[in-house]
Amino acid sequence: MATTIDTLAEALTAARRGHSLVDISTLPVPADIDAALAVQAKVQKAMGYADAGWKVSIAEGGRPIAAPMPGPYLKSGDTHRSAHGAELRVEIELAVRLGRDMPLRPGNPYTRAELIDHCDAALVGIEIVESRIADWTHVAFPLWLADALGHGSYLLGPEVPFSIFDDVSALTCSVELDGDVLYERPAEHANGDPLVTALAWANRPAETPLGGLKAGQIITTGSLCGGVLAPTLGPVIARLDPVTAISFALA
């Protein structure tokens, strides 16, 4: 008999392959975070995705969590092609690229300085949040986690100095869609220091079904502008002033 994990993984895999959405009422909810991580791993394997990156966060209660971020990885000028009817959100973020593996180290947690030392680049990134679940605004958290925290695609922007993480409040985020400014405010991270989430995941208490942090992977550290809803499709300019402006399109 199929388990909740199997049923959910099959539904999310079919939605990814069909570039479509699945009705939330047809989906079982994982029992807990561990079950959601197991679903992620099954979808990742079924789709043949490379373990290219991680979207990291901290759940209620302080447990570090993450979702695979297989891409597609885009660059300025590219187009994110969404499923028909999908709700899209734009998140301006900072990311790091690992230059060396960070194996799990129980009892000897990595420090912030060691995390930076294991990275060979810091970058500006734009995540397009696009869930496979239709009407996901009231979805149970384990189900949201199972769907890779809504990862849709990721635009890799320019490399920046690691010192950018020290004071994100000095930056300004803005998102413009088809000429209309949807958002313009000082950058703000939910954890203050954006590296808190990446460091928490590096120091997670146990290994997960998708394994650990590997050289070459991208770790995105969380939004500096919340999730800016895109009410329509069209050309977008996302700015992290005074650092960069990234142009792309939603289609």
Side-chain angles (χ1 to χ4, degrees), residues 3-9 11 23-31 39 142-143 146:
T3 66
T4 292
I5 292 173
D6 293 333
T7 300
L8 186 53
D23 185 345
I24 191 173
S25 67
T26 67
L27 298 176
V29 176
V39 173
L143 183 53

Side-chain angles (χ1 to χ4, degrees), residues 214-231:
K214 303 294 185 182
Q217 290 180 336
I218 298 292
I219 308 174
T220 189
T221 60
S223 181
L224 300 176
C225 63
V228 180
L229 176 65

Side-chain angles (χ1 to χ4, degrees), residues 173-236:
C173 298
S174 66
V175 177
E176 179 181 313
L177 172 61
D178 203 15
D180 294 327
V181 177
L182 304 181
Y183 184 96
E184 186 170 17
R185 294 181 189 173
E188 183 178 8
H189 192 276
N191 300 99
D193 176 5
L195 289 178
V196 165
T197 50
L199 185 60
W201 185 245
N203 291 324
R204 63 202 178 280
E207 200 50 276
T208 71
L210 283 172
L213 301 174
K214 303 294 185 182
Q217 290 180 336
I218 298 292
I219 308 174
T220 189
T221 60
S223 181
L224 300 176
C225 63
V228 180
L229 176 65
T232 61
L233 303 176
V236 179

Side-chain angles (χ1 to χ4, degrees), residues 92-94 124 164 168 171-174 187 224 238-246:
I92 301 172
E93 304 181 346
L94 294 172
V124 178
I164 197 170
V168 296
L171 307 170
T172 299
C173 298
S174 66
L224 300 176
R239 296 183 177 88
L240 185 62
D241 290 326
V243 179
T244 189
I246 298 177

